[in-house]
Amino acid sequence: EKLKNEKVDITLPIRPFREGKIHPVSQVIDEISSIFSEIGFSVVEGPDVESEYNNFTALNTPEEHPARDMHDTFYLEENKKLLLRTHTSPVQIRTMLSNKPPFKIIVPGRTYRCDSDQTHAPMFHQLEGIWVDKGLTFAHLKGTLAFIAKSLYGDSPIRFKPKFYPYTEPSVGVDLQCALCHGKGCSSCHGAGWVTILGAGMVHSKVFETFGFDPNTVSGIAFGLGTTRSPQYPIPSLIYATSVTVA
């Protein structure tokens, strides 16, 4: 009787099951986080709603600074004390407020800016990082960024160019040779032959002084890249999904 009642008809076809896919941006964040973990960086996260101080002032960008023009964005209070963060750098500020050197962290997360056109969105993802210790030099910065670029993009050539950021000095931009035209210039790279993948620099002494760190004793490197843009360029170790299907 038990065998009769619990009989399973094995002739029935199996129910179809369709697997979903990880979002390309999440895939890039996971990949980059894994690479940074190989060289001792920890992943830290923070809130999307930040104070004006953490987002701007503590990063050597006071209210009258021209660099704020393209960042002044979605404020939540009339007195402009709270806003949706425009970069993930405020988490670096939170880390320096609660920790003493040395520390090495990366900060992935959502960011918000008011610029919205064919090449920008009001909400996008970033991944920033900071390494503070004694004796760090520009060579540490170049070595770290070269390692990350090679791990992500293989042997594609990269170059460093001068840039300006209020919170780093000196500052650099890192370009990747266009994978479509190989440096000849095309519509994808706007004829330049190169595509900027991140910005970086040595942490500004004024930022250290804000937190009571002696810039003569410690130094630091900081960098940031747009993880939303990364899937646009070929990363050999990643396979991207064009759609997500859930059963």
Side-chain angles (χ1 to χ4, degrees), residues 201-246:
M202 303 299 295
V203 179
H204 201 293
S205 59
K206 287 188 177 180
V207 175
F208 282 144
E209 290 169 357
T210 300
F211 303 97
F213 298 169
D214 183 359
N216 296 315
T217 303
V218 299
S219 55
I221 67 172
F223 48 86
L225 55 93
T227 47
T228 308
R229 293 180 178 181
S230 299
Q232 298 176 21
Y233 316 112
I235 300 179
S237 58
L238 298 181
I239 301 175
Y240 300 109
T242 56
S243 63
V244 177
T245 305
V246 181

Side-chain angles (χ1 to χ4, degrees), residues 21-33 108-111 123-127 152 225-232 235 238-242 244:
K21 298 292 184 181
I22 298 176
H23 192 280
V25 174
S26 299
Q27 217 172 347
V28 169
I29 291 174
D30 291 345
E31 176 77 5
I32 296 175
S33 298
R110 292 179 297 270
T111 56
M123 190 282 287
F124 57 99
H125 290 75
Q126 267 192 346
L127 186 145
L152 283 173
L225 55 93
T227 47
T228 308
R229 293 180 178 181
S230 299
Q232 298 176 21
I235 300 179
L238 298 181
I239 301 175
Y240 300 109
T242 56
V244 177

Side-chain angles (χ1 to χ4, degrees), residues 30-53:
D30 291 345
E31 176 77 5
I32 296 175
S33 298
S34 176
I35 293 170
F36 272 107
S37 69
E38 295 178 16
I39 52 177
F41 282 81
S42 301
V43 179
V44 180
E45 296 181 340
D48 289 10
V49 177
E50 264 294 355
S51 68
E52 183 273 343
Y53 177 82

Side-chain angles (χ1 to χ4, degrees), residues 120-146:
H120 295 83
M123 190 282 287
F124 57 99
H125 290 75
Q126 267 192 346
L127 186 145
E128 299 193 22
I130 187 171
W131 177 10
V132 178
D133 204 343
K134 294 181 179 179
L136 296 182
T137 68
F138 200 79
H140 291 90
L141 175 67
K142 290 187 68 175
T144 299
L145 299 182

